[in-house]
Amino acid sequence: MRLQVYCALFVLCLSPNAVCPAQERDGESPIRIPVEMRDFKLSVVDGAGKPIEGAEVVVQGVRCQEDPGSWYAWPAANGGPMPIVPTDQDGVARFKYPSKLGSAVEYFTITTLTMNFRHANYISERAEFAVDAEKPEQVLRPGCRVTYSAVDDSGKAIEEFAAYISGPGYDAKWTLADGTIQSMAVPDGTWQTMLVAPQNDGITLFSGVLPARYKSGSEMTIGNVTLRPGLRVQGRLAGNVPRPISDGVVVAWCQPKPTKKAIDNREAIGWSDFAVIRADGTFEFASLPRDGRLQLIAICRGWVIEDQP
């Protein structure tokens, strides 16, 4: 169901036979099926070959000899928690990986490791390395140096806020300093950008969507971007759903409207939030982006939303 944001009250119709959403999250994954663990070491350098200290190496997944065309998330049952390893002063990261994936019924031999590399001064990269590579090395490239500051609609400076960027810029690292956010790792390109500031009262402040042009190797400063409270959205489930409501949640997905016509929708920014459905069937979002499109998806014990135009 996709709705234009034009009012603050929705009635959602549900149909029976929904599966209940999970209510718990897994904690740290223990090793449940031990296999041989092996050492892996790689270097992270800049374009001149100099070591980069403090780069975050996240080992996200693997590929296997028996199924080379597929990709598997990090096998926690065999290797424990996903490795997140910083590089040392020599730009080296060391960790252990499981030699196999699966169980005694069927093991796959791990041949390739997929990693994500992040550093505040460099563009995030994703790469794969064979486990038997002799001297694996990842080169990181500098991005656009960006500084944003923000104010509320009364002109008062906002001390804590965040930047959301579409496309490959979503993974850029930011630092908060003296009422500004700064990044040296935004990739080259024109990416939708939105500044966001959650408040203690539950209201989130949003900027408009800025079609910013980021250029690698350059510096860009945009100051005093105005952030305003979002739209309060209230609604209720249709009367066909028996009360009291049990284990219900509504998920909101927003596609804010850009302030200028310059961005392909494939690189559009998005914002999501969720609200618990009360026993009487009502729900409320304290603050969602005001302009653009809004999609609501509701589910509760035994019921799922009907598709509506």
Side-chain angles (χ1 to χ4, degrees), residues 46-178:
D46 63 15
K50 296 181 179 179
I52 298 176
E53 181 179 2
E56 184 181 79
V57 181
V58 183
V59 189
Q60 297 178 318
V62 301
R63 297 187 189 276
C64 300
Q65 177 179 310
E66 294 79 2
D67 192 10
S70 297
W71 179 89
Y72 297 88
W74 172 259
N78 304 116
M82 179 188 299
I84 302 176
V85 185
T87 54
D88 61 21
Q89 62 183 3
D90 298 318
V92 175
R94 297 176 174 85
F95 58 88
K96 292 182 178 293
Y97 71 93
S99 59
K100 298 179 180 179
L101 173 153
S103 66
V105 176
E106 185 177 22
Y107 279 121
F108 284 179
T109 304
I110 293 176
T111 60
T112 306
L113 301 173
T114 302
M115 307 176 201
N116 191 43
F117 299 84
R118 300 181 66 192
H119 191 284
N121 298 345
Y122 298 89
I123 297 172
S124 296
E125 299 284 355
R126 186 175 183 272
E128 294 186 347
F129 294 93
V131 296
D132 58 357
E134 290 188 10
K135 293 182 179 180
E137 180 180 272
Q138 176 65 36
V139 179
L140 298 185
R141 301 168 292 121
C144 179
R145 298 178 179 229
V146 185
T147 301
Y148 283 107
S149 64
V151 297
D152 62 21
D153 50 10
S154 69
K156 181 181 177 181
I158 298 174
E159 298 296 327
E160 296 186 7
F161 60 101
Y164 286 81
I165 302 180
S166 66
Y170 80 96
D171 206 26
K173 270 201 165 184
W174 296 83
T175 56
L176 183 67
D178 300 325

Side-chain angles (χ1 to χ4, degrees), residues 15-276:
S15 298
N17 302 322
V19 177
C20 300
Q23 299 296 314
E24 298 180 358
R25 293 183 179 180
D26 293 333
E28 284 199 354
S29 302
I31 295 178
R32 295 186 290 105
I33 308 172
V35 297
E36 178 189 357
M37 299 294 289
R38 296 177 179 173
D39 294 318
F40 193 87
K41 180 179 76 172
L42 82 159
S43 300
V44 180
V45 299
D46 63 15
K50 296 181 179 179
I52 298 176
E53 181 179 2
E56 184 181 79
V57 181
V58 183
V59 189
Q60 297 178 318
V62 301
R63 297 187 189 276
C64 300
Q65 177 179 310
E66 294 79 2
D67 192 10
S70 297
W71 179 89
Y72 297 88
W74 172 259
N78 304 116
M82 179 188 299
I84 302 176
V85 185
T87 54
D88 61 21
Q89 62 183 3
D90 298 318
V92 175
R94 297 176 174 85
F95 58 88
K96 292 182 178 293
Y97 71 93
S99 59
K100 298 179 180 179
L101 173 153
S103 66
V105 176
E106 185 177 22
Y107 279 121
F108 284 179
T109 304
I110 293 176
T111 60
T112 306
L113 301 173
T114 302
M115 307 176 201
N116 191 43
F117 299 84
R118 300 181 66 192
H119 191 284
N121 298 345
Y122 298 89
I123 297 172
S124 296
E125 299 284 355
R126 186 175 183 272
E128 294 186 347
F129 294 93
V131 296
D132 58 357
E134 290 188 10
K135 293 182 179 180
E137 180 180 272
Q138 176 65 36
V139 179
L140 298 185
R141 301 168 292 121
C144 179
R145 298 178 179 229
V146 185
T147 301
Y148 283 107
S149 64
V151 297
D152 62 21
D153 50 10
S154 69
K156 181 181 177 181
I158 298 174
E159 298 296 327
E160 296 186 7
F161 60 101
Y164 286 81
I165 302 180
S166 66
Y170 80 96
D171 206 26
K173 270 201 165 184
W174 296 83
T175 56
L176 183 67
D178 300 325
T180 68
I181 56 172
Q182 303 171 351
S183 177
M184 301 171 69
V186 180
D188 190 280
T190 301
W191 314 116
Q192 288 188 6
T193 302
M194 183 170 67
L195 306 185
V196 179
Q199 304 297 292
N200 292 332
D201 59 4
I203 302 298
T204 300
L205 308 182
F206 299 94
S207 73
V209 178
L210 313 172
R213 176 69 174 97
Y214 300 97
K215 297 181 179 180
S216 293
S218 66
E219 296 187 15
M220 182 174 73
T221 299
I222 300 180
N224 298 329
V225 178
T226 301
L227 278 60
R228 297 183 172 87
L231 179 71
R232 181 180 297 275
V233 175
Q234 299 172 312
R236 60 180 173 82
L237 302 188
N240 66 312
V241 185
R243 271 58 168 177
I245 302 300
S246 177
D247 295 333
V249 67
V250 178
V251 178
W253 173 253
C254 310
Q255 188 181 63
K257 184 179 179 180
T259 53
K260 294 182 180 179
K261 185 180 179 181
I263 310 296
D264 189 306
N265 281 335
R266 289 174 299 176
E267 300 295 352
I269 202 167
W271 176 262
S272 63
D273 200 354
F274 75 94
V276 174

